[in-house]
Amino acid sequence: MPNAEFTLPEDIRTVAIGIGDLNGIMRGKRVTRDQWNDACESGVALSIALFACDMTSDIWDTPYVNMDNGYPDMHLFPDSPVRRVPWEEGCGFCFGKALGMDHNPVPIDPRGVLVEQLERAAALDFEVTIGAELEFYLLDPETLQPRDVGNQFYGLLRAAELEHVLGPIRDGLAGVGIRIEQSNPEYAPGQVEVNMRYCDALQAADNVVAFRSLVKEIAAKHGYLATFMAKPFGPESGNGCHTHHSLWRDGRNLFADDTGRLSKPGKNYLAGMQRRMAESALSSSTTPNAYRRRRPYTFCPTNNCWGNDNRTVGLRVIDGSPQSARVEKRDGSADCNPYYLIGCEIAAGLEGIENGLEPKHFTEGNGYELDGADPLPLNIDDAIELARSSEFMRSVLGEDRLSILTVQAERESGFLQDHVTSLEIERYLRNF
């Protein structure tokens, strides 16, 4: 019999159980009620290939999983309570964890990167909490364009006009256990932001994976296509994933001093993230499109400077109370893999504490114009080169994961380089 935590309510006939793949896209299976006990005891078989496939489900041979070993199975086990899906009668939702046929963690599972860093933090008696903010577009599924016009960020009239879809999104996510604090229209037509409540870092990353999948489901029920693509429209705002970090011990926020300002451990942690920000850029932005966000004066950082409550910097310190003091890292794209993003951020932050690092490149002004700050890569080819040469990335991800991530990035770069755009045809074909 399954653990009581996984017992099904009487009205649930089917359970959707899933995990995040190489790109943090939720994949899994739907399990019938009469097979649920078996799934809890023996797992649900899936090919390990989902940890080595791109966003289109294309696969390629890797050292760990390939044609020679037949792309073998792993097993997916429940790892969260089964919750009713409010928008689908008779359906439950459960987040899973992947184990190999030997019942050990799968070495190329991206989730393992974050698990390892949280074990490292626990050994230092730290609890890591993360609050994630995700931006996305709500589009007409036929035209792939926004239905509204104008840039009315924070506009309550626009919020009311979108409430018929954002209200069910907030309520639906809460119904499956993802705590939502607020939502608002963002900085472009069709763009919105939804903020999740801060929580344990692994839960926060799981929530990002589930959030993106479930938002797309709910949006489709209301006649919208939701997209977390980093930069769907050239002239408009990109979609980011901002992460808010704090360390806790015995119920106390270690990032706050007695006045509520960022403490010495908080500054050490910030300095660690700052030090590794450029070389770990591939963990925050994994496609060529994601680097289109990284432009000056776009509220997406182009260097690793920091400041207090400043949205032009890469690392924004938010203080004011012992409970709320935290560091916001602002370079992540909404389509990132949250296990790689948050895992690398925590690894860098802990390194900063262990080595007593002090942050550099503070600014009270325009971070885009600060001289001396380390630049972030503005294209994926530079990010690949930095990742490949980074012992930090190799130590955090491991050789196999890093190889899979960089090969995927090279493939994506190649696809775009081989494609002639409609803009090029328009400008050059008749004129030369």
Side-chain angles (χ1 to χ4, degrees), residues 46-50 52 59-74 101 106-108 400 404:
L46 297 171
S47 173
I48 298 173
L50 71 81
I59 61 173
W60 61 94
D61 274 7
T62 71
Y64 187 81
V65 56
N66 49 59
M67 290 293 180
D68 288 340
N69 64 21
Y71 286 91
D73 272 347
M74 60 186 177
M101 303 305 283
V106 179
I108 61 171
D400 283 343
I404 292 170

Side-chain angles (χ1 to χ4, degrees), residues 179-257:
R179 294 183 63 188
I180 301 300
E181 291 191 328
Q182 56 210 11
S183 65
N184 60 273
E186 257 301 334
Y187 202 58
Q191 191 184 41
V192 296
E193 178 178 278
V194 175
N195 303 144
M196 287 174 274
R197 176 74 173 173
Y198 71 88
C199 59
D200 165 79
L202 184 61
Q203 182 66 62
D206 289 346
N207 284 350
V208 169
V209 171
F211 178 99
R212 294 188 299 209
S213 182
L214 300 177
V215 163
K216 292 174 83 72
E217 281 189 33
I218 300 168
K221 292 281 186 182
H222 291 80
Y224 288 88
L225 170 69
T227 182
F228 295 85
M229 179 181 176
K231 188 73 168 174
F233 305 108
E236 303 293 353
S237 177
N239 289 325
C241 175
H242 299 168
T243 52
H244 294 249
H245 288 249
S246 56
L247 294 182
W248 296 69
R249 180 182 292 150
D250 298 328
R252 178 174 175 266
N253 181 6
L254 301 180
F255 275 19
D257 64 17

Side-chain angles (χ1 to χ4, degrees), residues 234-288:
E236 303 293 353
S237 177
N239 289 325
C241 175
H242 299 168
T243 52
H244 294 249
H245 288 249
S246 56
L247 294 182
W248 296 69
R249 180 182 292 150
D250 298 328
R252 178 174 175 266
N253 181 6
L254 301 180
F255 275 19
D257 64 17
D258 292 339
T259 68
R261 295 187 176 278
L262 191 67
S263 65
K264 179 173 174 52
K267 289 180 179 178
N268 297 151
Y269 190 97
L270 183 155
M273 288 201 293
Q274 184 181 56
R275 180 185 187 188
R276 300 300 187 182
M277 200 167 173
E279 67 190 274
S280 62
L282 197 62
S283 71
S284 66
S285 299
T286 57
T287 69

Side-chain angles (χ1 to χ4, degrees), residues 116-129:
E116 289 166 9
Q117 294 307 314
L118 292 179
E119 289 173 349
R120 176 182 170 193
L124 297 170
D125 201 19
F126 295 143
E127 300 172 32
V128 188
T129 66

Side-chain angles (χ1 to χ4, degrees), residues 24 33 55 70 93 104 119 155 165 206 253 262 282 319 336 339 351 367:
R33 182 183 183 88
M55 63 292 300
F93 170 76
N104 289 318
E119 289 173 349
V165 58
D206 289 346
N253 181 6
L262 191 67
L282 197 62
D319 51 29
C336 70
Y339 302 117
E351 182 182 79

